[in-house]
Amino acid sequence: MGYELQAVIARDEVLRGAARDFPAARVVSLSQGMSLMPMTDQLCDASTDGTESPLGFWRLPGGFDKRLADWSAAGPVAYVEAEYFGGVGDQRAAVWADGAVVLGPVHIPEGQPFGSAGSPISQALRMLGVVAGAATDEFAAVGLDRHRSGEDWIA
C-alpha cells in the first residue's frame, strides 16, 4: 500500500486566512493547532503562473512559492511532499517565514536514512512549532499518518 502527500501546512489561523485567496483550496485540521491544504488538481490549476517551480518539488505550481512567501508574513508556512510504495520512496519539504525560505528545500533521496534531524517533513513541522512525543515523531504527532493520499484528506 502506498502513501502520497503534497500539501501546505501551517498553523490553522494562518492557513485558513491564506486559503481565502483560492476557492479551490480545502483546509483540514491536524493536531497541535496545525492545518493542511492538499495540493489538489483544482488548486494547482488555479494557482500556477505557468512557470516551473525553481525549488525541485514534483507538484509545487509555478509561482506558488511567491504565494507561500507572502503567506508566511502571518506565520511560518511549510510545503511538503511524500511518496512511498512498499516502504520505498522519498520526501521533500521547505519552510517560509517572514517572506523568505528558512528551511530547505530538504530532500532525502530514496533509500537514504533520515539521520538525526529526522525526515524532511518532521524537520519542517518542528520549525512550525510541532512537538514530537516520546514514542513518535512530528509527522505522527500531528496525524499525517491518518490518511494515505491527498484525496483521502478532503473526502
Side-chain angles (χ1 to χ4, degrees), residues 18-27 37 40 42-43 46-47:
R20 290 186 201 122
D21 293 344
F22 294 100
R26 299 294 174 258
V27 177
M37 179 173 43
T40 63
Q42 296 84 0
L43 181 56
S47 59

Side-chain angles (χ1 to χ4, degrees), residues 38-95:
M39 291 303 295
T40 63
D41 291 340
Q42 296 84 0
L43 181 56
C44 285
D45 291 346
S47 59
T48 188
D49 68 4
T51 64
E52 267 193 51
S53 172
L55 300 175
F57 288 99
W58 307 304
R59 186 151 175 125
L60 183 66
F64 199 68
D65 55 317
K66 294 176 186 82
R67 189 74 69 161
L68 294 168
D70 291 344
W71 292 347
S72 74
V77 176
Y79 179 75
V80 302
E81 294 183 340
E83 187 171 324
Y84 287 90
F85 187 79
V88 178
D90 62 1
Q91 291 186 20
R92 298 171 191 265
V95 176

Side-chain angles (χ1 to χ4, degrees), residues 3-153:
Y3 181 91
E4 171 248 329
L5 178 68
Q6 298 92 28
V8 179
I9 302 174
R11 296 216 55 80
D12 187 66
E13 63 275 6
V14 172
L15 200 51
R16 290 193 188 277
R20 290 186 201 122
D21 293 344
F22 294 100
R26 299 294 174 258
V27 177
V28 180
S29 294
L30 299 171
S31 300
Q32 298 191 28
M34 297 291 148
S35 287
L36 110 110
M37 179 173 43
M39 291 303 295
T40 63
D41 291 340
Q42 296 84 0
L43 181 56
C44 285
D45 291 346
S47 59
T48 188
D49 68 4
T51 64
E52 267 193 51
S53 172
L55 300 175
F57 288 99
W58 307 304
R59 186 151 175 125
L60 183 66
F64 199 68
D65 55 317
K66 294 176 186 82
R67 189 74 69 161
L68 294 168
D70 291 344
W71 292 347
S72 74
V77 176
Y79 179 75
V80 302
E81 294 183 340
E83 187 171 324
Y84 287 90
F85 187 79
V88 178
D90 62 1
Q91 291 186 20
R92 298 171 191 265
V95 176
W96 287 256
D98 298 319
V101 174
V102 295
L103 174 72
V106 179
H107 173 232
I108 305 291
E110 185 175 313
Q112 297 298 311
F114 289 147
S116 62
S119 73
I121 293 176
S122 285
Q123 291 177 50
L125 292 170
R126 196 174 312 123
M127 291 198 74
L128 298 179
V130 172
V131 178
T136 182
D137 64 3
E138 293 83 1
F139 185 96
V142 295
L144 287 177
D145 54 352
R146 285 191 329 223
H147 299 290
R148 304 205 59 83
S149 74
E151 292 83 26
D152 292 345
W153 283 102

